[in-house]
Amino acid sequence: MTFAGILAFLGLAVVTMDVLGGVIAISVMLRGGTVRHLLAFAGGYTVIIIAATLILRPLLELLNRWLRPVLDSNNAIGAVEIVVGLALAGFSVHQFRAASRPPRPHGRLEERSTPARLATGPLILAGVAFSATALADPAFTIAVGMASQEQHLLPHVGLLVLWNLVYQAPLVAVMAAAAFGKHEQLVTRVMEVLGPRRRALQTTLAALLALAGIAVLGDGVIALLSEHVPWLRQLLLLR
């Protein structure tokens, strides 16, 4: 994979980063969980992701042969971009509406903490269920397809591991903080930084989603009306 391909590969992980894992990890710690519980949760997630990756790679190779006429068509990829652009625009509207709502009152951290006995088994199952968020994300499928272009096994595995670490950076950060006993400070700091800026951050996110939606939608329309090669196809062709 070229340097440009690696940048696009990791950029995809950054843009689609899953913050839900970090939120769940923080909630586990607030309920009296330990590093062992976080490892159980992450373990359930990892097992399913590895299995899905092993299944998805040959499936993508088969689909690549079947869908080659579609992938070679600028019009088909342009139509996909139009759908993606409309979806991004819809998400931006949702974020604008969320930003306009007044924030709900939050109590002190220690008041919301409810230490309880947590079992490892249910957290493994929770991690398995959480993996569905990644499997349903088209970015995961695109990442597996891009990494499969690397023919050597070790670089191929390394790319997939790196992508998942970036994609689940919030979960990894909470686990690392918990391993050093710094999770309470991390939670407090995140609340101090993000809490007062919630409306501004949501508005900024909504604006970015709107701009991305307009750009992708416009690119798809241009591809349908001209010989322009859609951005999505250029991404799929990166090596």
Side-chain angles (χ1 to χ4, degrees):
M1 187 179 288
T2 64
F3 181 70
I6 292 176
L7 286 180
F9 180 75
L10 296 179
L12 182 67
V14 172
V15 171
T16 60
M17 186 178 295
D18 190 352
V19 298
L20 180 59
V23 173
I24 294 175
I26 289 175
S27 68
V28 169
M29 300 307 293
L30 289 177
R31 290 182 60 83
T34 64
V35 176
R36 176 172 60 87
H37 294 106
L38 292 183
L39 289 174
F41 175 77
Y45 170 87
T46 302
V47 168
I48 298 301
I49 291 300
I50 292 175
T53 301
L54 293 175
I55 295 172
L56 191 57
R57 183 182 179 184
L59 181 60
L60 286 175
E61 293 175 353
L62 178 62
L63 290 176
N64 182 55
R65 293 195 295 267
W66 288 354
L67 298 178
R68 178 51 55 188
V70 176
L71 296 176
D72 288 339
S73 171
N74 288 346
N75 289 341
I77 299 297
V80 172
E81 284 193 340
I82 290 176
V83 173
V84 172
L86 291 174
L88 289 172
F91 287 138
S92 72
V93 172
H94 173 74
Q95 287 298 322
F96 273 122
R97 294 181 63 183
S100 65
R101 301 190 192 102
R104 295 180 179 179
H106 294 291
R108 294 173 60 85
L109 177 60
E110 58 270 20
E111 293 173 352
R112 294 202 311 279
S113 300
T114 55
R117 180 179 295 276
L118 297 175
T120 303
L123 282 172
I124 294 176
L125 295 178
V128 170
F130 173 63
S131 66
T133 62
L135 300 180
D137 191 342
F140 173 73
T141 302
I142 294 174
V144 173
M146 293 180 70
S148 66
Q149 297 171 14
E150 177 56 60
Q151 299 302 316
H152 300 288
L153 179 61
L154 288 180
H156 178 200
V157 173
L159 284 171
L160 288 173
V161 171
L162 181 59
W163 192 89
N164 279 282
L165 288 176
V166 175
Y167 180 69
Q168 292 294 347
L171 174 59
V172 173
V174 175
M175 292 181 64
F180 290 97
K182 301 294 184 180
H183 55 280
E184 291 188 6
Q185 294 92 323
L186 175 64
V187 173
T188 302
R189 184 58 179 165
V190 168
M191 290 179 177
E192 289 176 350
V193 173
L194 299 184
R197 301 172 177 83
R198 180 196 68 87
R199 180 168 295 182
L201 290 172
Q202 283 187 310
T203 302
T204 301
L205 175 61
L208 291 175
L209 286 172
L211 291 174
I214 293 172
V216 174
L217 180 62
D219 188 69
V221 171
I222 293 173
L224 289 177
L225 299 179
S226 67
E227 298 298 322
H228 168 67
V229 179
W231 293 336
L232 178 57
R233 187 178 176 193
Q234 295 179 39
L235 176 63
L236 295 174
L237 292 175
L238 280 174
R239 296 292 190 273

